[in-house]
Amino acid sequence: MAPHKQEQAVSEAKGPKAEEDGGAAGARGLPGAGPGFQPPEGGFGWIVVFAATWCNGSIFGIQNSFGILYVMLQGDLGGGEKDPTLEFKTALVGALAMGMIFFCSPIVSIFTDRIGCRTTAASGAAIAFIGLLSSSFTKSLEVRYFTYGILFGCGSSFAFQPSLVILGHYFKRRLGLANGIVAGGSCLFSMSLPFFLKTVGSTIGLAHTFQVLSAFMFIQILLSLTFRPILPPSCDSHNDRQDKLASRNMKQQCGSQMRKYFNMRVFRRQTYRIWAFGIATAVLGYFVPYVHLIKYVEEEFKENEKEWILLVCLGATSGLGRLVSGRIGDCIPGLKKIFLQVASFMLLGLMCMMIPQCQAFEGVIVVCLFLGLCDGFFITIMAPIAFELVGPMQASQAIGYLLGLMAIPMTAGPPIAGYLHDYFGNYYLAFYLAGVPPIIGGLVLSVVPLIHQRMLKKQQMDSGKDKMLASETVMNGELLPGCPATEAHV
């Protein structure tokens, strides 16, 4: 990423130790560490892209289609008149699953760095498979909090995040395009699953529907085996590290390992802190339409035959947005990519507020087209921005911490909307309030590039040299995230 002159200046400033570390990194071809290995930008990487597409599509296709499952869950319990808090309780099933994807992300980052993308993703897909399959053997919402909400959610997190990290092993120049293809291709699932669930669910029932969905996760177990690291281990540096650990006592070794895998240094970057806070604020209302929109149109427009079209529209324009934003993101330099997220969050908030204003079912369809477009722009550009903010060596944990921060607001949004419906008897206030957090989050994100530019100017004045802000390289082991020594040679 950085010019060779900048690398040399940084190396001279840090002294012999930095040069030694930089040489080792350069042999591996890490960006900003000198010449060496370069990602293939294709080849077997396209098979990895397909596997990552299936992973993203099956996980978020099921999650984004929860509006269909939401109605089926209530029907499985015999209707809402028996329990005045049924909207809240049912929404919590899907919200838990989505929230656990993000809540587990910091832990997934550690596992990804420690045991690799392949093992982490395959294990997560297996847990998600067990969660969906076991959900078919109960009718209790409380049990499904665990089987669908916890097991499926946690497993999805362990399967999903490595699919983002592994792309950085095979692509650099085309990373935005690869992310766009993965995100856009996965939207085919989001477009087809609502109709599929509506048709299959009415034919075979909710229990067998969960069993069919578990097959998607079983296929993902096999596809996760393609997440193969391609960088060779550094034997000398590995032996040096073992010698250093052997010379320390147990307390020092434990402290060293804790600092290595619970690396909080990404939070020392002011721009990352603001970016993470802004996104965590925005997603409080993000998942509300996916859960409650189907039930809303059934109550407001008495539409119970074509309501699945709304989720298809969301998936279609989300796929378009992801493909377009991936290509656009490659053309936008540096942190200016964040303005794509700013625009998407602002528009998403406005569209949520427009839902109660729609006087016909067709108006809701138009709103859903824009909601999906905003979703596509927000998701695709997230990983490239993380690489820009913290560099490739810290990207895995930066993404993990970000998703972890998103967990609580993502989980809280749909149940709060369900509670408001239970209290007021309609969804009007719920959708109005759901639009506020994305607008606030967008405003917060808009200041990140400005702060970054101010930091650049300050550094230029302090150093007296015309150079960009150098990214500090923090080694999470001796390889790229998700590439442990035990897998690198395979």
Side-chain angles (χ1 to χ4, degrees):
M1 291 183 179
H4 180 69
K5 182 186 294 184
Q6 177 183 344
E7 298 162 6
Q8 183 177 1
V10 173
S11 178
E12 292 174 355
K14 292 187 176 181
K17 177 59 179 175
E19 292 177 355
E20 181 180 338
D21 293 340
R28 294 185 297 275
L30 300 178
F37 175 83
Q38 293 296 326
E41 303 289 351
F44 185 77
W46 295 119
I47 298 179
V48 175
V49 167
F50 171 77
T53 300
W54 183 279
C55 176
N56 283 254
S58 57
I59 290 174
F60 288 101
I62 295 172
Q63 296 282 5
N64 293 342
S65 301
F66 184 75
I68 303 292
L69 296 176
Y70 178 82
V71 176
M72 294 173 66
L73 283 168
Q74 292 188 337
D76 204 38
L77 294 171
E81 50 280 351
K82 294 183 180 180
D83 188 349
T85 62
L86 185 61
E87 303 285 344
F88 170 83
K89 292 180 178 178
T90 310
L92 189 58
V93 176
L96 270 176
M98 180 63 81
M100 291 306 296
I101 292 179
F102 300 102
F103 181 76
C104 294
S105 293
I107 301 175
V108 177
S109 297
I110 298 170
F111 276 86
T112 302
D113 291 345
R114 181 67 174 177
I115 64 177
C117 292
R118 178 166 46 189
T119 305
T120 303
S123 301
I127 296 173
F129 166 75
I130 294 172
L132 285 175
L133 186 62
S134 58
S135 295
S136 66
F137 297 107
T138 180
K139 288 190 175 183
S140 170
L141 280 180
E142 289 73 17
V143 175
R144 281 172 173 157
Y145 289 156
F146 175 72
T147 57
Y148 186 91
I150 304 298
L151 285 183
F152 174 59
C154 288
S156 297
S157 182
F158 276 78
F160 160 66
Q161 191 173 332
S163 71
L164 296 179
V165 177
I166 194 64
L167 295 179
H169 289 255
Y170 288 87
F171 298 92
K172 177 184 176 183
R173 180 173 52 85
R174 295 179 175 177
L175 182 59
L177 177 61
N179 275 287
I181 293 175
V182 169
S186 67
C187 285
L188 295 176
F189 289 79
S190 296
M191 293 171 58
S192 58
L193 273 176
F195 175 75
F196 175 79
L197 290 176
K198 183 71 175 180
T199 304
V200 172
S202 61
T203 304
I204 64 177
L206 181 60
H208 293 299
T209 300
F210 277 126
Q211 294 173 4
V212 172
L213 291 177
S214 68
F216 286 86
M217 291 296 100
F218 181 78
I219 296 174
Q220 179 56 35
I221 298 174
L222 304 179
L223 291 178
S224 297
L225 300 179
T226 65
F227 292 172
R228 174 174 57 89
I230 58 177
L231 301 178
S234 177
C235 297
D236 295 337
S237 59
H238 179 72
N239 293 334
D240 291 342
R241 186 169 66 253
Q242 293 298 325
D243 293 340
K244 291 179 181 178
L245 289 176
S247 63
R248 299 176 181 176
N249 57 38
M250 183 62 67
K251 182 177 180 180
Q252 290 175 327
Q253 291 185 29
C254 292
S256 176
Q257 294 299 310
M258 290 291 289
R259 287 191 298 270
K260 177 180 178 181
Y261 294 110
F262 288 92
N263 177 19
M264 303 294 290
R265 298 186 69 173
V266 292
F267 288 100
R268 297 182 183 179
R269 299 175 182 270
Q270 184 183 16
T271 49
Y272 175 79
R273 294 197 304 269
I274 298 174
W275 181 61
F277 172 77
I279 290 183
T281 301
V283 297
L284 179 60
Y286 170 80
F287 197 47
V288 171
Y290 288 96
V291 174
H292 294 286
L293 198 55
I294 299 299
K295 189 64 179 293
Y296 169 75
V297 297
E298 287 187 0
E299 293 182 354
E300 190 70 15
F301 305 110
K302 310 302 179 184
E303 178 61 65
N304 55 11
E305 294 294 333
K306 299 180 180 180
E307 73 277 13
W308 55 270
I309 294 178
L310 299 177
L311 297 180
V312 172
C313 292
L314 280 169
T317 52
S318 179
L320 176 63
R322 296 179 189 203
L323 287 172
V324 172
S325 63
R327 192 61 177 172
I328 293 176
D330 288 339
C331 301
I332 299 178
L335 288 179
K336 292 182 179 179
K337 297 179 178 70
I338 289 182
F339 288 119
L340 291 177
Q341 286 188 326
V342 172
S344 65
F345 278 136
M346 299 286 284
L347 184 58
L348 187 146
L350 291 175
M351 289 299 103
C352 283
M353 294 179 175
M354 287 296 296
I355 292 175
Q357 298 296 321
C358 296
Q359 302 298 317
F361 178 71
E362 291 74 14
V364 182
I365 291 179
V366 175
V367 170
C368 287
L369 293 175
F370 283 99
L371 284 175
L373 197 64
C374 296
D375 171 80
F377 272 79
F378 155 60
I379 293 294
T380 304
I381 211 68
M382 185 166 59
I385 290 176
F387 274 78
E388 291 286 348
L389 285 172
V390 302
M393 294 307 300
Q394 298 183 75
S396 174
Q397 293 200 357
I399 294 173
Y401 289 133
L402 171 65
L403 298 179
L405 290 172
M406 293 167 59
I408 294 178
M410 185 76 77
T411 305
I416 291 175
Y419 175 80
L420 291 173
H421 175 276
D422 291 333
Y423 188 83
F424 291 102
N426 58 64
Y427 280 109
Y428 294 158
L429 184 61
F431 282 119
Y432 284 134
L433 294 180
V436 175
I439 295 176
I440 296 176
L443 293 175
V444 172
L445 293 181
S446 65
V447 305
V448 173
L450 303 178
I451 295 177
H452 181 67
Q453 290 296 325
R454 187 181 65 183
M455 293 171 62
L456 284 178
K457 292 179 180 179
K458 181 178 180 182
Q459 185 191 28
Q460 291 171 0
M461 292 177 61
D462 293 341
S463 62
K465 298 178 181 179
D466 186 15
K467 62 180 181 180
M468 295 181 63
L469 183 63
S471 298
E472 181 181 3
T473 301
V474 179
M475 305 299 290
N476 290 334
E478 296 296 332
L479 302 171
L480 271 176
C483 185
T486 56
E487 280 194 8
H489 67 284
V490 179

